[in-house]
DNA sequence: GCTATATTCAAGTAGTTTATCGAATACTTG
DNA sequence: CAAGTATTCGATAAACTACTTGAATATAGC
């Protein structure tokens, strides 16, 4: 009977390895970035605001829980998700958090109140208008994420290079920007900058994953801008 | 720009609330039990081998992450899952752990080596034979779990009361026992006891949840034994 | 109102773990 | 070998962990 207890304890300890690795906000953010595209330590550190050494250690934690994999490419070490199921688990976690923790909605609403007029556009009407060409859809994430996968019909206009592309964007037509998802602020920033210059810009809340879940078309590896 | 960092940090902190609550083996075990049926603190403490005070504290942690709910019923406080999605998240976690952490398979195999001949029976052939009546399927979990939901056609024979039911079990026919799932040892124990008495007993690895996922029929609230 | 029972609370302990930093080290490429 | 990238080491301070003990609270039945 004591052997049973020991068996159970060691099994649940293994399960807990995964959730322990997920129990740090910074690691969740790292994983979230890796859901979009694979990346080097340095880049991940910059995107999350961590020191390189610190980011590296967080990444080791995730790796020893077998959630991500590392591959050496020349000078860089490229990290990527170890399994598609990791993405699913992460989004299940996010979904449950959104549903059960009302604080998240509060925080989001508060944030959007500081950026007035940025309520997300409706997904269904958007889809219709993208199809008919009545709307220009732009993906404002870094180019490597666009390449890894983007909504069909979207143009690749990373936020950093927004100004370069201004003359190729229509002034009279609606422009809809999207990024990594509801908690990524790239699209918010993009819309604000575009509006300041007189464009009719709006924000799509979804990211590529949400779009894909709905069975909507995704393209990859075709960097047409 | 600093506001963006703050926003992200507080969002990911909320997500981490959930995974922090899941990061303890004992809490995972408690949740696992609550996936089968709602229960009082005292019972949960006994089943997990925790002191009542300690179990209560773990339950508070789960509750403050909104994963479970408490309801006072007379002297007892009954805990239950707060949402179906909690079960899904838990099983997603388990699934990923099984797939990625080979240690789990090792531990399980090692455990089964100490209980020879207890390899689980095949789910598909079982189903056929249950339907045709060539097999007696028994649910050896506590009665309250059977009532909350059991595989269609299974008889309620809690492990504690196994001996009481012996004379109503067939000696010439195969008996298949199941419990909470692959890491619950009730069925293992049941099969060993039955075999010691000359029954042709086998073990089904699945629990109710796995059965349900396969779209197979579940019954509830009909305590026919 | 008294008593038995179930649960929670508060406080304390001992041990572990955490995130983080800066410097040292290892590796790769030109 | 020089420059750039990543990991490791050592150390720090803080925070947190699971758990125990004993008291407090709540409820039901007598």
């Amino acid at each position: 009977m004591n052997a049973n207890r020991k068996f159970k304890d060691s099994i649940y300890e293994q399960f807990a390895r995964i959730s322990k690795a997920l129990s740090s906000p910074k690691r969740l953010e790292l994983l979230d970035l890796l859901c979009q595209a694979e990346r080097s330590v340095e880049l991940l550190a910059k995107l999350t605001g961590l020191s390189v050494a610190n980011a590296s250690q967080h990444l080791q934690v995730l790796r020893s829980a077998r959630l991500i994999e590392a591959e050496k490419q020349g000078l860089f070490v490229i990290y990527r998700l170890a399994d598609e199921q990791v993405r699913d688990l992460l989004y299940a976690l996010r979904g449950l958090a959104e549903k059960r923790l009302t604080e998240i909605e509060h925080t989001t609403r508060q944030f959007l109140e500081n950026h007035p007029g940025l309520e997300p556009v409706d997904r269904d009407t958007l889809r219709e208008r993208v199809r008919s060409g009545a709307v220009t859809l732009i993906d404002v994430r870094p180019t490597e994420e666009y390449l890894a996968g983007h909504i069909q019909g979207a143009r690749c206009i990373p936020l950093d290079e927004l100004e370069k592309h201004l003359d190729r964007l229509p002034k009279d037509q609606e422009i809809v920007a999207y990024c990594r998802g509801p908690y990524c602020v790239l699209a918010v920033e993009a819309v604000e900058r575009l509006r300041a210059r007189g464009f009719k810009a709006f924000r799509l809340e979804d990211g590529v994953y949400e779009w894909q879940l709905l069975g909507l078309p995704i393209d990859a590896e075709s960097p047409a801008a």
Side-chain angles (χ1 to χ4, degrees), chain A:
Chain A
M1 215 37 26
N2 202 6
N4 289 354
R5 187 70 267 163
K6 261 193 211 156
F7 170 66
K8 279 192 194 174
D9 284 349
S10 61
I11 288 290
Y12 284 108
E13 209 180 300
Q14 292 298 324
F15 293 154
R17 274 176 67 191
I18 306 269
S19 38
K20 267 186 197 142
L22 297 178
S23 71
S24 142
K26 283 297 180 187
R27 283 199 290 273
L28 288 175
E29 193 175 348
L30 285 167
L31 267 185
D32 220 2
L33 286 167
L34 291 173
C35 280
Q36 307 286 326
E38 51 182 52
R39 255 174 278 237
S40 73
V41 180
E42 201 186 24
L43 234 171
L44 288 167
K46 183 150 65 171
L47 290 170
T48 52
L50 293 169
S51 75
V52 174
N54 200 3
S56 174
Q57 298 207 109
H58 278 301
L59 290 166
Q60 312 288 328
V61 175
L62 289 171
R63 192 167 63 154
S64 73
R66 317 274 171 81
L67 297 175
I68 61 177
E69 285 171 347
E71 184 200 348
K72 187 119 195 180
Q73 281 185 12
L75 278 182
F76 300 85
V77 174
I78 303 294
Y79 280 93
R80 70 173 66 90
L81 289 197
D83 200 297
E84 281 300 309
Q85 266 180 259
V86 176
R87 185 185 276 112
D88 295 336
L89 179 64
L90 200 66
Y91 282 92
L93 176 66
R94 163 180 295 198
L96 186 61
E98 284 169 358
K99 188 173 179 190
R100 304 286 316 160
L101 304 179
T102 50
E103 292 86 342
I104 292 181
E105 214 197 316
H106 284 172
T107 308
T108 314
R109 201 167 29 224
Q110 216 164 29
F111 179 75
L112 286 181
E113 273 168 14
N114 293 329
H115 300 261
L118 283 180
E119 294 73 23
V121 301
D122 180 55
R123 168 195 297 154
D124 295 323
T125 58
L126 171 71
R127 200 181 157 207
E128 196 44 49
R129 281 194 275 178
V130 169
R131 197 199 308 266
S132 70
V135 165
T136 302
L137 184 63
I138 65 177
D139 183 326
V140 298
R141 300 172 300 161
T143 307
E144 68 264 21
E145 300 185 29
Y146 177 90
L147 292 177
H150 57 265
I151 297 180
Q152 201 172 70
R155 288 166 62 180
C156 175
I157 304 188
L159 188 59
D160 304 344
E161 308 165 16
L162 183 63
E163 274 70 19
K164 270 198 274 175
H165 293 80
L166 285 182
D167 49 344
R168 271 184 285 164
L169 287 173
K171 274 264 179 189
D172 52 337
Q173 208 190 39
E174 276 185 18
I175 299 172
V176 172
Y178 76 90
C179 51
R180 295 173 187 130
Y183 307 111
C184 170
V185 292
L186 293 176
V188 170
E189 174 79 13
V191 169
E192 288 189 328
R193 284 207 228 157
L194 287 171
R195 287 202 186 166
R197 289 191 168 77
F199 290 93
K200 292 188 217 145
F202 300 91
R203 171 173 162 261
L204 172 65
E205 207 178 32
D206 296 325
V208 175
Y209 184 85
E210 288 86 353
W211 203 254
Q212 199 165 25
L213 273 191
L214 295 164
L216 301 173
I218 300 296
D219 279 352
E221 294 297 315
S222 58

